[in-house]
Amino acid sequence: MMDPVDTLLAMVLLSVLISFGSSRLPALIKVIAFQGVAVSIVPLFMGHEMTWGGIVFTLATLMIRGIGIPVYLSRAIKKVAIHREVEPVVGYHASLLAGLVLIVAAIYVSPKFNLPVGKGYILLLPSAITLIVAGMFLLMARRNAIAMVLGYIMMENGIYLVGTTFSMRAQHIVEFGILLDVLAGVMIMAIILQNIKKTFNDVNTTLLRTLKE
Amino acid sequence: MQPFFLSLLIISCGGILPLFLWRRPLLMRGAGATLIAAGSLLGLVDAARQLYAPVAVTATVDLLNTVPITFTSDSLSAFFLVAIFAVSGLTAVYSFHYMDKSDHAVRTAVHYLFFSLLIAAMALVVTADDMIAFLLCWEIMSLSSFFLVVYSYEKEQNRRAAFLYAVFSQVGAMFILAAFGVMYACTESFAFAGASGMPAAIKLLVFILAMVGFGSKAGLFPLHIWLPQAHPAAPSHISALMSGVMIKTGIYGIIRLYAILEWHAPVLGQIVLAAGLVSGVMGVIYALGQKDLKKVLAFSSVENVGIILIGMGVGMIGVSAGKPIMAVLGFAGGLLHVLNHALFKSLLFMGAGMVLHRTGTGVIDHLGGLIKRMPITGTTFLIGALAIPGLPPFNGFVSEFLIYIGAFNGIALGKTNFVLSLLAIVGMALIGGLALAAFTRVFGIVFQGEPRSPSAQAIEQGPTMLLPMIVAAAACVVIGVFPTAFLTMAIQAVEPLQLGYGRIPLTPFIQITATITRAAVVLFAVFLILLALRKLLYSGKTVTRSGTWGCGFTQPSARMQYTGSSYAASILAFFKPLVPIEEDHPPVIGRFPVKTHYQSRTRDIAEHQMDRLIVKPVLFLFDKLRWLQHGDIHLYIGYILLAIVVALFFV
C-alpha cells in the first residue's frame, strides 16, 4: 500500500497533465477544483499533530479552493458570456509534451534545492515545483483570461504545497495570508475581466497589446 | 533634550492644526504661523543656551521596537540649530501675510504641514547620531521640501523645477547612502562613533561619495542646477528657508563626516577648498548673468556655499599642516558664514518675495524705482545686499575676514599649502568683488531708477512681512558691529571636531575684526551726519526733483535706463569661456536702419554638459530598450519566470 500523501500527489501531477490537454473552460475549472481539494487535504495525512483548530483551518482552505473559487469563476463565465475555448498559444499536444518534460525536470531538479521540505515524501517538492511552473505555463500559453486566472491559482496551489511542510501554526498563518491574496486576486481579475470584455468585446488578452503607448 | 523635542512638538502642531482650520483661512494662517514661530523661538533659545554652556545631550528613540535611533546635540549641532530655528521663526511670521493672496485654503493648510515637517526634519538631521536616524530625517527633509517647491503646480515650469529638484535630492541621497553603506560594511554598526578606525583608503572613498551627496543638497557648483530652478518656483519664504538653511544641512553633513572620520590628511582640505573655489567663482559669475531676481539669489547661494567650503578647506589644511590658528579661524569663519548667510539670504529672499508679491513679476528688467514706494523693503534689501559681498560693518565681513586671516596664516606653509592658501585669498577677493557687482546690479535696477513697467508701481504692505525683514537686517548689523559674542559661538561650535588644541589666543583676531567694523561704523556715522547736515542746510530752500537718470534730456523715458544685461555685459564678456551667452541682435545698418532688438541669454555650462554627458546617453540607451515594453501580457509573464529562474539558479 502506497503512502496516501504520495497517492494524492501523483493524482495532482496527473491533473496537471489533464489541465494542459483540456480545451474547454468548464473542464479546466473542474480539474483545478479537484487539484485544489487534493492539495488542501495533503496536510491531513502528513502525520502532523492535528489539533481541532488545524482541522478547521484545513477544511476552510478546502472550501475556498475546492468550492469557492471554482463556483465564482463558473459564474463569471456565465455572466460575461465568454468563449468556452481556452485559445492556446501553444497547442494541446505540445503542451502535454511540455508538461511531461516539466515533471521530469522538476524531479531531476528538486534534490538540488536542498530544502528541509518534504523529508520522506519523494513527490512533494517535485509536485510543488511542477505546479508553480505549470501555472506559469498556463499563464503564458493561453490567451483566454479565465484560463490565465486558473494558471495563477495552480501556481498558488504549488506554493501551498511547499507551505504544508512547515509546522502547523506557522503554516496556517502563511496559508491564510496567501489565501486572502488569492481571493482578492481572483475577484480583482473577475472585475478586470468584465472591463476587458466590455472594452474589447472579448477576453482574449492579446488584445491588451493595443493599450501599449 | 526636553526643550528641543518640545519645540519640535509645537512646530508640528503648527503644521497639523491648519489642516482642521482650512475653512477659516485667517485663523488657519494665524495658528500655523504663530505656533511654528513660537516653537522656533523656543528651539532657538534652547540651542543658544546650549552653545554657551556646552554639554552634549543624547536621546534614544525606539522605532517600532526594532531600530533604536539616537539623537545627540553637541555644540556643532547647536550652532546649526541656531541658524535653523532663527530663519524658521522669521519665515513663519513672514508667511502669514505672504500667503494671503492664495484662494486655495486647503493647499495653504497642506503647505503649513510640510513647512513644519521640513523645519522639524532639518533640526533632527543636524542632531542625528546614527546612520538610520540621519537618513530617515534626511529623506523627510527632501520630500517635504519637494512638496513645498511644487506648491504652484499649475505652471508646467514649476512642475519641471520640482521634478529636477527631486532627481537631484534623490541622487544625492543615494550617494550618501552609498557612503554610509561603505562605512557600515567596515564597522558593522550603524553608529557614527566607530568610523574613525577604518583604513585610510576607505575613508577617502566615503568622503568623496558623501561630498557628492551632500554637495548636491548644498548646491555645489556642478550639482547646483536645481537651485536656480526650484527657488523661483517655491513660495518666497520657502525659498528663504531652503536657501538660508536647508542647503546648509549639506555643509553640516560634510563637516560632521570630517569630525567622525577623524582623518586629517591634506587631501581632504584640498578637495574641499577646490570645490569651494569652483563653486564660489562660478556661482557669482552666473549670478551676474541672471534676469530673474530669485535666480540671482539662488546663484548667490551657490557662491556663498563656495565661501563656506573655502573656510572649511582652509581649516582642514590648517589641521593637516599642524597650524592651530589657521584651523580654528578657517572652521570658525566657515561656520559663522553659515549663520550669516542664513540671515542675509533669507532677508534677501523675503525682500524679493515682497517685490514678487506686490508687483507680480520677478524679472529684474521690468522693475525699477521700488525704493521710493517700498522704503522698508528697499532699505533692508540694501543692508542684505551690502552684507553679502562682505562689506563692513555688516556680518558678512566678519566671517569672510576670519577666513582671510586663516588663509594668510597658511602662506607661511610649504609649497602646495602655500599655493592653496594663496588661491583661497585670491578667490575670495574675486568672489567678493564680483558679488558686489552682482548686488549693486540687482539693487540698482530693481530699487533705483524709474519703473520700467506699469506693474512696478506697487507699494509695500503687510506688517508681518516687513517685521521679519527688519529683524533679519538688524541681526546682520548686530553681528557686524558686535561680533565677539557670535565669534565665541562659532569657536565653541568647532569644539566637537576634537582638534585638541585647547585654548588658542584668538582675542587679537577678534580685536582686529572689531576695530575694522568700528571704523566702518564711524564712516557710516559720518555719512549720516553729512546727510543730516544737508537736510539742515537745505531746509527752507527749494529743491527741484526730476527723474533718475534724467541726464538733462528733455524727454527722458524709462527705457533709457541701464538694464541688468547692460550693467553686467562687460564683466560677463570677460568670463565668456565660463558663461556661454547667446545673443540675438540684428546689426544696425545703413542710414535708415530698420527696427532692431537685443536679447541675451546665459546658458548654464554645468546643465549643458550634464545634459550632454549623462541625460542624452541614458535616454538613448532606454530608447533602444523600448521594444521590451511590447504590451503582450504572456511575454511579460515570461519575463517574470525568467527572473525567478535566474534568481534561483544564479544568485
Side-chain angles (χ1 to χ4, degrees), chain A residues 136 139-140 142 205 209 212, chain B residues 629-631 634 637 641:
Chain A
M136 280 236 154
L139 275 169
M140 284 164 67
R142 300 287 181 264
T205 46
R209 194 189 263 272
K212 186 192 165 191
Chain B
Q629 192 229 359
H630 41 62
H634 299 94
I637 297 163
L641 185 65

Side-chain angles (χ1 to χ4, degrees), chain B residues 156-385:
Chain B
E156 213 235 322
Q157 195 190 359
N158 291 353
R159 290 200 299 272
R160 288 177 71 92
F163 178 72
L164 191 71
Y165 171 54
V167 168
F168 268 86
S169 63
Q170 290 310 309
V171 170
M174 280 298 121
F175 272 98
I176 298 170
L177 192 65
F180 284 178
V182 172
M183 268 163 75
Y184 180 76
C186 263
T187 61
E188 292 185 352
S189 136
F190 287 123
F192 285 145
S196 56
M198 299 191 301
I202 301 282
K203 281 182 179 174
L204 184 62
L205 176 69
V206 168
F207 192 81
I208 289 173
L209 282 173
M211 187 83 186
V212 175
F214 290 128
S216 80
K217 179 62 81 184
L220 217 54
F221 176 67
L223 308 164
H224 70 281
I225 299 169
W226 63 271
L227 269 158
Q229 310 279 336
H231 285 316
S236 292
H237 60 289
I238 301 301
S239 312
L241 187 66
M242 282 173 67
S243 202
V245 285
M246 194 195 73
I247 61 172
K248 304 301 177 358
T249 55
I251 304 282
Y252 171 80
I254 294 172
I255 189 167
R256 176 61 77 185
L257 193 71
Y258 181 75
I260 59 181
L261 287 182
E262 286 183 35
W263 187 46
H264 300 156
V267 62
L268 292 191
Q270 288 158 6
I271 294 174
V272 172
L273 184 61
L277 275 172
V278 172
S279 193
V281 174
M282 295 301 274
V284 72
I285 295 172
Y286 278 100
L288 264 170
Q290 299 307 310
K291 296 193 184 317
D292 188 291
L293 184 52
K294 277 180 145 187
K295 281 195 179 175
V296 175
L297 297 180
F299 272 111
S300 147
S301 291
V302 176
E303 166 228 324
N304 277 282
V305 162
I307 293 179
I308 295 168
L309 284 187
I310 292 175
M312 305 277 172
V314 167
M316 290 176 190
I317 290 175
V319 171
S320 68
K323 290 267 288 191
I325 292 182
M326 185 182 174
V328 172
L329 285 177
F331 280 122
L335 281 177
L336 192 58
H337 203 70
V338 168
L339 179 64
N340 289 343
H341 179 247
L343 286 171
F344 50 63
K345 188 47 65 66
S346 52
L347 164 64
L348 290 173
F349 263 117
M350 287 191 280
M354 176 66 93
V355 171
L356 204 67
H357 189 68
R358 303 305 309 169
T359 66
T361 177
V363 181
I364 293 173
D365 286 337
H366 291 172
L367 299 164
L370 280 174
I371 198 164
K372 288 165 199 154
R373 282 173 303 281
M374 297 188 171
I376 298 177
T377 313
T379 315
T380 51
F381 196 94
L382 178 64
I383 291 176

Side-chain angles (χ1 to χ4, degrees), chain A residues 89 109 113 133 136 139-143 148 205-206 208-209 212-213, chain B residues 626-627 629-638 640-641 644 648-649:
Chain A
V89 177
V109 159
F113 281 114
V133 182
M136 280 236 154
L139 275 169
M140 284 164 67
R142 300 287 181 264
R143 286 200 194 93
M148 292 174 70
T205 46
T206 40
L208 291 179
R209 194 189 263 272
K212 186 192 165 191
E213 263 183 60
Chain B
R626 253 310 145 74
W627 57 268
Q629 192 229 359
H630 41 62
D632 189 351
I633 193 165
H634 299 94
L635 273 180
Y636 285 158
I637 297 163
I640 298 174
L641 185 65
I644 293 174
L648 272 180
F649 289 96

